[in-house]
Amino acid sequence: VTVNVSEYLREAAADNPDGTALVEHRPDRRELSWRQVDDAADAVARGLSARGIVAGQRVAIVMANRIDLPIAYYGILRGGMVAVPINPRSTTREINRMLADSRARVVLCDEAGVEQVREAVTDNQQISVIIDGAEPLAGETSFDRFLADASGTAPASPPDDEALAVVLYTSGTSGKPRGAMLTHRALIANTEQIARLDPAPVTSRDICLGLLPMFHIYGLNCVLGQAVKQGARVLLVDGFDPGGLLERISAEGVTNVPLAPPVVAAWAGRDDLRDKLATVTMILSGASALDPDLAESFLASSGKHIEQGYGLTETAPVIAVTMGSKRTADGGPEAGSVGRPLPGID
């Protein structure tokens, strides 16, 4: 029985150590195997432990989608610590409030959020800052140095699936963002429920598009979490360039495309859409409602049906999906439907 979310990474590394796990273009192409990602996550857990961070304490991740984000995330969880993913494009004031609210002891950040993080922690000398993709200033540590200096054995996370794993700040539609507290058990339950769908949304043969931001539960547990559970490759993408992303999907042979309606709107009607999405076998839209007319326009120009899902941060996140639900005469999901509840959900 899986107790800690990071066990999925350990299993993927054992099953396919030399298989490609993560790919990015920043701007050069970089890829890591499952063994390399697993080893790096161990190094993160050791490095945090060496700084006196213990199980239950919070570690913020203020990064755009890049290979080092999953490494940081799984390393934090492996050490029994609590990950606090934050949008790197948040304002200084927002980051300051979330760091204070979560009582984060360490911040792992990249160039996308480094200036706001530096301003946010100016008055708080208790917070360590580890910088990725930018030159560290006095008192800061580079991410590469942080990993290289990590020695000893990785701390053993207490075997408690009810332990807190993640604090995710919701969009705050009714006020300031609030930290939704998700346990390992909550994240594992949703991962396993999605995996039980027939047909499975993700398999070990898939190459998944990691466009959705991983400071959001959709990108974090639906895309990354499910891909790691299944041992599927993830192409990490930061920022949306409609034509450039289609080229990359084609070049990398992406098969699984989770997205949100604005991406559908940007692509629908393109003359090259059918060709660029030729390798894609699954498209899933979530985060907001997909207009049926837009879905129809996308189908006409791509030849691909779009599945839909519904959920919220507090449910880790998926509640219902169209996969396995009633189909139309042409084999697609019913227009305007988010399908049925996942197995095990009332």
Side-chain angles (χ1 to χ4, degrees), residues 60-139:
I61 308 171
V62 191
M63 289 185 182
N65 283 13
R66 60 189 301 149
I67 281 176
D68 293 335
L69 191 160
I71 287 171
Y73 172 63
Y74 284 103
I76 292 165
L77 300 190
R78 183 160 290 168
M81 299 129 193
V82 180
V84 185
I86 293 174
N87 183 348
R89 294 174 177 89
S90 300
T91 65
T92 297
R93 184 176 179 182
E94 289 167 337
I95 291 175
N96 188 15
R97 202 184 71 78
M98 286 183 272
L99 293 178
D101 183 67
S102 65
R103 299 179 183 176
R105 301 282 298 273
V106 176
V107 182
L108 300 161
C109 70
D110 68 2
E111 68 272 21
V114 64
E115 295 306 324
Q116 303 94 292
V117 167
R118 283 171 174 159
E119 291 175 19
V121 303
T122 299
D123 299 327
N124 191 337
Q125 303 304 314
Q126 304 302 312
I127 300 178
S128 300
V129 178
I130 297 165
I131 306 286
D132 194 12
E135 283 298 312
L137 301 181

